[in-house]
Amino acid sequence: MTNHWVDIRNANLILSMGGNSAEAHPVGFRWVMEAKEKNDARLISVDPRFTRTGAVSDFHAEIRTGTDIAFLGGLINFLIETDQFHHEYVREYTDASLIVREDFGFDDGLFTGFDAESGSYDTETWHYEHDEDGFARRDETLQHPRCVFQLMRAHFSRYTLDVVQSVCGTPRHKIERVWNMIAETVVPDKTMTILYALGWTQHSIGSQIIRTAAIVQLLLGNMGMLGGGVNALRGHSNIQGLTDLGLLSNLLPGYMQLAGSEEQDYQEYIAERARAPLVPDEVSYWRNYERFHVSLMKAWFGEAATEENDWCYDWLPKLSVNLYDVLHTFERMSQGEVNGYFCQGFNPLAAFPHKEKVTASLSNLKYLVVMDPLSTETAEFWKNRGELHDVDPSEIQTEVFRLPTTCFAEENGTIVNSARWLQWHWGAAPPPGEAKPDVEIIAGLFHRLQAMYREEGGPFPDPILNLTWPYRRPEEPRPEELAREYNGWALEDVYDENQNLICGRGEQVGDFGTLRADGSTACGCWLFAGCWTEDGNQMARRDNSDPYGIGMTLGWAWAWPANRRILYNRAGARPDGTPWAPNKALVWWNGSRWVGADVPDFPVTSPPSAGLGPFIMNQTGRGQLFARERMVEGPFPEHYEPFETPVANNALHPNNPLSKHNPAARVFEQDRENFGTLEEYPYAATTYRLTEHFHYWTMHARLNAIMQPEKFIEIGETLANELGIEKGDRVRVSSKRGHVDAVAVVTKRIRPLQMGDRTIHQIGIPIHWGYLGETKKAQLTNALTPFVGDANTQTPEFKSFLVRVDKL
Amino acid sequence: MTLRVTRRQFFKLGAAGMATSSMAMMGFAPEPAVASIRHFKLTAAKITRNNCTYCSVGCGVLLYSRGDASINNVDDIFHIEGDPDHPVSRGSLCPKGAGLLDFVKSRSRLSHPMVREPGTDEWKRISWPEALDRISRHMKDDRDANFVGQDEQGNTVNHWVTTGFLAASASSNETAYLTHKVVRSLGMLAFDNQARV
Ligand code: SF4
């Protein structure tokens, strides 16, 4: 979230799209109700299903799954053409005025540089035009035909009401109503917040849906504002923390990146990331990349990391492909290219698409290690469960280890919620039997490997032999020690530019500004610097006072970065440093510094007259309407159909087969053959969660099993009538890849969509229930889902695919 | 935002068909009623602050456990409820959080390391040292056989991609940090967590 849970109460309009927070984030959703009750806010729900969020909304609009870019692209066109965008904000705080290269273009669904053979783009032209000093050219009047504003306007001009209706299937009057309600928040004293979740990410165009939302919020001046923002309501309790700590194939802690195999030179690696401003004098905070990187290397490799060896640059693995994401890894596993796999608190058999492929892949492993507090389907993938999971154990040669771990109630530590709050918790009881904390298991494996490399040798043992291990009991590192390490400390006295001592040797650093690129500081995650300072554990703070009465409890826990609760909050004030509106005051310039209810997201002594842009992480200092080369399928979002779609072609490019689906998506050969056709599988399906269950975990909790005991699917009344299905009937839902049997819930909540002369039906399929635990046994929903991901992140397309439904 | 009701209204509401106990869980209890329940049922409990580890709202929870720290005594959690001081949840829990105790105490909780030998159809209990010895042996053998120092173009890559690791999004930052540190020191790249799923 750019903003935070309690801040939702400051919104005047809440757009819930790509999420159903009433059901999936119920307690957070109480702040939506608070906004409605106390702030006279209105709630809009746009969803394929009439959900519990829809049920308490002021307005609900149904939409075909996977068409959100069309809906929001139409909104962008509407806001521009009816002149309902925030002129001053757009001019001053976004890159609207920057001029794009002359050779950049877009034609029939494809941006310049597309190579059909490899299915990828050469992004050379996706850049601003530079002047002699390397800065982007600008036109503050926004009239230049190649300024970002005019290009954006032309790009979205195709998204007319008629086109949007024909793509989304939403009735015209509903689209217009939603657009009008949203446009009302263009005034400075009204803000809209956007709440989304996996309903936006789990598409082959997921990242671009979110980009479209960000453009809308920039046009309306809602970023950095109280009650504004683009708010990802993340799925799991610490998925934010794991992302922040970089537990992804290509990342390092704090959103730093591993080098690609071509990046053999350390200085070039740093220069590529420590990017200089593209507009004169802007902050471009990533300029400090090397400080964060060297501090990380010092935290991991200690004395072994020196300037002479480029701080152990070659000790980190380099990437031969962009991502070794889970789809890529399971594809390789299915080809027999992976021998070992660890699942730490993760149940891929249930959680990854195309379960049959996942089963076959796991069967190719030599060894599988599952670390979990609970019994999972993955750990028992070799067990025959009849028609629920039909395998032959004697043919599966995988050696499987299942290691019992503690759960949250049995250990100390932090988790990071959606609002970026690091909250410390304490264990209350020992785990069952011999279960151990994950940290001890990792330590146990690591020490054994270290001993083997010491005794037997082996390829490149240096990082293993030299990894720092500054823990009092090496076999049981304590969470407190690990938290102090990712906060970071000074290895030498650290001075500021005026030679004042700011952090003594051995002291915890107070913030990431203290970190140095000369090896004098160690820090495991620069973004978390400040969470455990010389004043102790800031994440354990419990002062819930709210001095400004706007829900800003800065003394409760600790938020990254720097305990800031609303990102980009400088944009919440006018260019002259005064709040946009009295009821939206958040941070402001008091004549000598930035002050207010939040920690300013800005150099605190930089006066408004200096004119620095508020988006200090960007090279332009501005919100990016134009993504440049940062998105693989283009600098502007474009609607592409899901890989399994209930329509014959992409209404925006009916004659170009290359732009029917996301042109830059990665599809493996075998998976392309496993896509179903509209003729065989005529209905659009989407998966979702229920309020009573959390994925496959609560199948094991009795109370939740009692509340929702049995697998069901949702089907609209019209279609059910056509198929002769009555409520309570057992049905089989099938895709090209598999089937699940479930009870049919026949409902008014899913309406058929009228698109031209066609009627499109959608089926709702909860992801829950499996064949372990306390609930009634069922097949896993991911037997159905397609093996294709978002082109940028490779998040699987769980939200849009094709099925058929048969009565059993 | 907690509903303020008197004790009398509270029981009336209860009589109107909504179970009072679940109302208390949802944070709709009048203070005196809650106070009296706590006083009698939970006076001997140790209260520990924690957070719900289902969704990302991060509601505050209080774990009530018994056990006096004496040598033959094992602490046991017997009740979990919302933390009223928490600025987001203010004592509330949703139906998922309200069932947390049944997760902690689930019959599916694992208690001992197990192994399933190739081609067999059963779990076999093993000791921790044996489990960790065998797993680390597999890792060493696979890394030794498949570690890539230089790729075909002669670039130094120092990676190991024939063993992969999925990390858990409900584990703590501290677990995640140590996991990352160790995984990268081995040169692993096929490393991910639920953020991509
Ligand atoms: S109690 Fe419910 S809303 Fe709160 S963190 Fe747990 S799952 Fe999320």
Side-chain angles (χ1 to χ4, degrees), chain B residues 2-160:
Chain B
T2 306
L3 192 61
R4 301 266 169 210
V5 285
T6 64
R7 194 179 168 83
R8 181 189 299 258
Q9 285 169 329
F10 180 66
F11 287 120
K12 256 200 198 151
L13 276 167
M18 200 168 167
T20 47
S21 60
S22 71
M23 287 184 61
M25 279 180 198
M26 296 295 283
F28 292 119
E31 279 144 76
V34 171
S36 70
I37 292 166
R38 278 193 190 143
H39 177 72
F40 291 113
K41 189 175 160 199
L42 305 170
T43 32
K46 181 175 86 181
I47 304 178
T48 308
R49 295 162 187 157
N50 210 303
N51 293 96
C52 174
T53 45
Y54 288 130
C55 90
S56 57
V57 177
C59 295
V61 300
L62 300 175
L63 310 176
Y64 289 77
S65 59
R66 237 185 312 264
D68 58 7
S70 62
I71 204 146
N72 291 322
N73 184 295
V74 176
D75 278 10
D76 182 43
I77 300 169
F78 64 90
H79 177 67
I80 296 179
E81 65 182 32
D83 177 353
D85 294 333
H86 196 280
V88 176
S89 59
R90 295 198 180 174
S92 303
L93 294 176
C94 80
K96 288 178 273 274
L100 277 172
L101 186 64
D102 285 356
F103 174 90
V104 176
K105 301 247 159 171
S106 169
R107 286 191 292 184
S108 304
R109 284 296 300 270
L110 305 175
S111 57
H112 295 87
M114 299 278 187
V115 65
R116 176 264 181 184
E117 304 288 358
T120 68
D121 192 21
E122 56 180 10
W123 287 115
K124 218 177 64 188
R125 192 162 144 187
I126 53 171
S127 71
W128 274 108
E130 187 192 343
L132 298 179
D133 285 346
R134 284 177 63 175
I135 296 167
S136 51
R137 187 74 252 169
H138 276 303
M139 293 171 79
K140 172 89 171 30
D141 291 349
D142 188 51
R143 187 176 180 278
D144 286 357
N146 296 301
F147 187 83
V148 183
Q150 295 202 325
D151 66 11
E152 282 158 12
Q153 288 76 44
N155 295 319
T156 300
V157 292
N158 285 335
H159 65 218
W160 172 34

Side-chain angles (χ1 to χ4, degrees), chain A residues 767-793:
Chain A
I767 61 172
H768 312 295
W769 299 286
Y771 45 82
L772 296 177
E774 310 280 339
T775 52
K776 288 197 181 158
K777 308 297 173 250
Q779 290 113 334
L780 295 162
T781 293
N782 280 321
L784 302 171
T785 49
F787 204 87
V788 60
D790 171 76
N792 293 277
T793 64

Side-chain angles (χ1 to χ4, degrees), chain A residues 543-593:
Chain A
D543 175 0
N544 60 11
S545 60
D546 173 17
Y548 288 82
I550 53 174
M552 303 293 285
T553 50
L554 300 189
W556 183 274
W558 186 86
W560 70 257
N563 202 30
R564 196 167 283 142
R565 308 293 164 127
I566 295 184
L567 296 179
Y568 320 121
N569 57 32
R570 163 66 182 93
R574 293 173 189 273
D576 70 7
T578 58
W580 286 108
N583 63 335
K584 298 291 177 188
L586 180 55
V587 302
W588 52 88
W589 177 254
N590 74 356
S592 54
R593 57 194 291 122

Side-chain angles (χ1 to χ4, degrees), chain A residues 294-327:
Chain A
V294 173
S295 298
L296 173 67
M297 294 295 96
K298 292 302 284 183
W300 284 4
F301 301 120
E303 309 250 296
T306 62
E307 194 170 0
E308 290 67 49
N309 69 3
D310 291 333
W311 314 105
C312 296
Y313 180 57
D314 286 339
W315 291 27
L316 293 173
K318 293 192 176 62
L319 304 152
S320 293
V321 294
N322 290 343
L323 292 177
Y324 293 81
D325 56 280
V326 295
L327 297 183

